[in-house]
Amino acid sequence: MKQFITACPRNCYSTCSFKVFVDNGVVVNIEPLSENKATPEGICLKGLSYIERANSPERILYPHKKNKNGSFSRITWDEALDTIAQKLNYFKKEFGPQSVLFYAASGMSGLLNDFSGTFWKEIYGGATRVYGNLCWPAGLEATRLTLGENKHNAPWDLENAKLIILWGKNSAESNIQEMIPLGKALDDGGKLIVIDPRRTESTQRAEILAQPLPATDGALALAIANVLIENDWIDHDFIEKYVLGYDQFKESVKSCTPKWASEISSVPEDFIRTMAWMIGNIKPMTLIPGYGMQRYSNGGQTTRCLLALSVLTGNIGKAGACWHYANLQSYVFDDLLEPLCYYPPEIPDGIIRREVSTARLGEDMLAQTNPPLKMIWVERGNPVTQNPDTNSVLRAFNALDFRVVVEQFFTDTALEADIVLPAKNMFEQTDIIGSYWNPYVQLRQKVVEPAGEVKPETEIYYLLAQRMGFSEEQLDSILLPPGEEAVINYLNERLKPFPSLTIERLKEGPVLAPNLQEIAFSDYIFRTPSGKIELNSNEAFDKWGANPLPTYEKGAEANSAFDDQYPLYLMSPNSKNRIHSQFSNLKIIRMISGEPTLQINPSNAFERQIVNGDLVRVFNGRGALIIKADVSYQVRVGCVVIPNGWWKSQGGAINALSKGRETDMGHGTAFHDNKVQVEKYSK
């Protein structure tokens, strides 16, 4: 039996390191790797399920084409590549290369993903691509505008905090490794505040659980700022040295009283004052916002409001004192860091058209002209399930002439394809990954040969280019030739600027990123236009039309006209058993997750004569779902919850209810800004 050290490449905070064991070419066991200080106790259930994921009989191992009756049949690679090459050549000749949409998401990270974009730009001669991102651009941009860049203290520094605020974050499910240093901080006398409309596993040791209405967190934060300033619980020395715009901010929050915020958020005034006292008087404080809040239409400004609390109290740049949102310090290979790389270019290059918003995928696909879209290529994503407004995405897919999906399983998106190509898994090709939470650079080692006829995406593109008429001599300087040797040579070239990083060293385990600041901003260098923390940001106005100061703006669907028809806020948090729609199909996950349910407060259920286990119809003007009710006090009155990631084919595709709209800054996706009605379902 062989043992390897590798790391999880999923879109997850933890990016866990672990040992994988291979017997006769098959992955058979996974164990923790304690050398990673951020993930010392091992991976989660999803990580453990990699054994099933790698060996699942449901995995796609061969190319498939759709039959006229909607079923799929296995075909050869020759047929698949010839068909795709013919279609690509035809669309390019008749409509131009921008008639093809290349869609890639965050299904698996790695440096080799760059070759996908290289193919479309340098081999095909252009394409249409999306701009923006489904996940976190609003919060990233808000942090960048305020602090100059996105980084935070090393995860283990959380042990030094005396006050921890989980604001809209459920670490016990979405970032389980964070619970280790958090627990140590509490064991050492630290205090915990949780602000969340739900009572989650993360609330069990909280001093206070405040439950605001969704999208009102900005008002709550500004009221806390009002109390901090009014009672002089702020760090004057820090503000004088490092902060721009304090006087204007102070003036702007005079009207943001606890009474004002309580009426908006429904959080009691005494809670607001108690939280303000704790934030102003217990130091050091680490504030950990979740990503859900910035997926509302007011997400960027909400993030700026929360961040202001860390700034006012001087909880930046010190041990235990941190704005713990995103840590991009391990992204050492990126020339342009997120969120800037998500934005469309100010001057288009005429090769890659970026006129399709990720947030409005279906709507924008249908609107494209000159040329209209004729084909889509999807990899590392499941847009039918995961992008807003599933119904418009399906209409856009159906309007195309040809669809190719590269996938490991027959997801909702793969089922819409004309040709499905088998995708590699994380064990079948070497690559290098970073993390947006822990500060390590890691090697994702190849530990087995690809199963069946699976080919890594880099090889698919190389072979496809050959079918389109390119010679090996032409391709070898542009794309990656097939084989592991070419991969290692490429990665070694990427590592050359970093003496501490080598393939051999990374095989031994994770390596801290070069030039890492374990305590972020401990040098008090802020890469903003003024060189200071900017509470007053002219760039926020110039770039996004937002108020230069952090302000509370109503959510898009928080108005009385909408309230009458659709009175309930629909929340779609992540589940500990899935990463968005990934893992949802595995037997071990299905056994634990059960079936999709709607969580509803007993008060709201009683009004509708709904009891636990009833089938209910959840609907708004965009769509409807039929789903079982889970009557529970874990969700506050006025809110209902369906965790995101259920597939359409599993009956819980929540984005049938969401609208495609962008956030107030960052070209993020505001698909949490949805209200619904719920009624008992009768056939």
Side-chain angles (χ1 to χ4, degrees), residues 464-620:
L464 183 57
Q466 286 183 317
R467 300 297 173 115
M468 296 171 66
F470 288 82
S471 67
E472 289 186 6
E473 291 74 19
Q474 291 173 301
L475 292 177
D476 286 354
S477 62
I478 303 173
L479 297 180
L480 195 66
E484 185 72 1
E485 182 180 356
V487 171
I488 298 301
N489 290 339
Y490 170 75
L491 295 178
N492 276 326
E493 285 297 313
R494 296 296 301 270
L495 291 173
K496 278 185 177 179
F498 310 102
S500 64
L501 302 176
T502 65
I503 294 291
E504 292 308 311
R505 173 64 187 86
L506 289 168
K507 284 182 178 180
E508 299 173 2
V511 179
L512 290 172
N515 304 314
L516 169 70
Q517 276 188 340
E518 287 204 27
I519 306 301
F521 303 106
S522 54
D523 55 3
Y524 297 103
I525 293 174
F526 302 100
R527 303 186 190 281
T528 59
S530 66
K532 291 189 172 186
I533 297 172
E534 295 196 355
L535 286 178
N536 187 11
S537 169
N538 289 328
E539 191 178 0
F541 176 78
D542 295 339
K543 195 173 185 69
W544 305 107
N547 193 311
L549 296 167
T551 57
Y552 165 68
E553 312 293 339
K554 281 188 176 181
E557 298 194 0
N559 60 75
S560 56
F562 215 87
D563 289 347
D564 293 340
Q565 194 171 7
Y566 306 113
L568 299 171
Y569 288 89
L570 174 63
M571 302 180 66
S572 53
N574 288 346
S575 161
K576 64 183 176 182
N577 298 323
R578 293 186 299 277
I579 297 177
H580 304 299
S581 65
Q582 294 192 80
F583 300 91
S584 193
N585 61 305
L586 300 181
K587 290 181 180 179
I588 184 64
I589 301 298
R590 293 204 307 264
M591 182 176 67
I592 293 171
S593 294
E595 60 186 334
T597 60
L598 173 92
Q599 200 173 63
I600 184 170
N601 185 275
S603 176
N604 297 132
F606 179 78
E607 295 169 349
R608 293 162 174 79
Q609 298 182 328
I610 293 168
V611 299
N612 199 55
D614 277 350
L615 279 179
V616 297
R617 179 172 177 260
V618 189
F619 65 96
N620 56 23

